[in-house]
């Protein structure tokens, strides 16, 4: 059954806690993170990330996931206590139903309740559509992130 075929029931927000919940999240996450090769790999990664306070809040219509936000509560010297939004995605067939906005609002509430001073996320410089959405949701660009890929060869050369 596709999302379009399902009756117009109300959806609820709840965390994906079990492996079965994560498996239900996989088709949506795959749209955001196509480099993750399988549901089993996704579940293993989330299981490891839980040790770094990662949680996955999903919009559920019955057993079907419509959208999700992966996040973690963190603290550093730059921001103090903050909520980092790792992943935000809506299933392509549920786009336009305002799930991204609802999930960001839920993240703002979660951050506030946890005593955070900021909500932080990254998006690609070329992702203008996401940037417009974030601006509409009240998020402002305040930094530029730099990175350098590290390969096993590079790590061995510096040892």
């Amino acid at each position: 059954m596709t999302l379009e075929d399902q009756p117009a029931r109300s959806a609820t927000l709840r965390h994906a806690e079990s492996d079965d919940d994560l498996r239900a999240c996989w088709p949506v996450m795959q749209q955001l993170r196509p480099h993750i090769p399988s549901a089993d790999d996704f579940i293993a990664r989330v299981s490891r990330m839980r040790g770094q306070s990662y949680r996955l809040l999903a919009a559920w219509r019955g057993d079907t996931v419509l959208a999700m936000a992966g996040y973690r509560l963190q603290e550093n010297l730059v921001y103090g206590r903050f909520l980092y939004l790792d992943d935000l995605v809506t299933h392509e067939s549920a786009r336009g139903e305002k799930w991204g906005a609802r999930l960001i609002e839920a993240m703002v509430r979660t951050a506030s309740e946890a005593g955070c001073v900021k909500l932080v996320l990254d998006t690609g410089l070329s992702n203008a559509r996401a940037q417009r959405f974030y601006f509409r949701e009240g998020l402002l660009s305040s930094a530029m992130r730099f990175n350098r890929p590290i390969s096993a060869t590079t790590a061995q050369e510096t040892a």
Side-chain angles (χ1 to χ4, degrees):
M1 178 183 294
T2 68
L3 293 179
E4 297 89 351
D5 296 333
Q6 293 189 9
R9 297 178 295 190
S10 63
T12 58
L13 293 180
R14 71 172 171 83
H15 285 94
E17 302 289 356
S18 69
D19 285 359
D20 286 341
D21 287 348
L22 292 175
R23 197 166 299 285
C25 290
W26 168 242
V28 181
M29 185 61 79
Q30 191 175 29
Q31 292 178 11
L32 180 65
R33 308 286 184 222
H35 62 278
I36 300 175
S38 68
D40 290 336
D41 187 62
F42 167 65
I43 292 167
R45 289 180 191 218
V46 170
S47 295
R48 289 190 304 272
M49 291 166 50
R50 283 182 174 148
Q52 302 164 3
S53 80
Y54 182 85
R55 301 208 59 203
L56 194 57
L57 181 66
W60 299 80
R61 183 172 291 139
D63 294 332
T64 302
V65 175
L66 305 173
M68 67 184 78
Y71 68 97
R72 48 185 110 209
L73 299 172
Q74 298 183 324
E75 184 172 2
N76 66 20
L77 297 175
V78 175
Y79 304 126
R81 190 156 169 76
F82 67 100
L83 183 146
Y84 184 78
L85 185 54
D86 291 67
D87 310 296
L88 181 65
V89 61
T90 299
H91 190 280
E92 62 189 2
S93 63
R95 290 187 185 145
E97 296 179 24
K98 308 281 187 205
W99 286 111
R102 292 179 211 179
L103 285 165
I104 285 179
E105 186 55 38
M107 294 294 94
V108 168
R109 283 192 308 274
T110 299
S112 177
E113 291 166 3
C116 295
V117 296
K118 280 188 187 256
L119 181 148
V120 178
L121 63 81
D122 292 324
T123 192
L125 291 172
S126 64
N127 195 346
R129 184 175 173 189
Q131 292 165 23
R132 284 191 305 273
F133 169 71
Y134 297 138
F135 283 126
R136 279 195 317 269
E137 295 305 313
L139 285 86
L140 303 174
S141 177
S142 62
M144 182 179 278
R145 176 168 281 178
F146 293 89
N147 69 66
R148 179 177 175 180
I150 305 297
S151 68
T153 305
T154 304
Q156 291 171 355
E157 290 171 358
T158 60

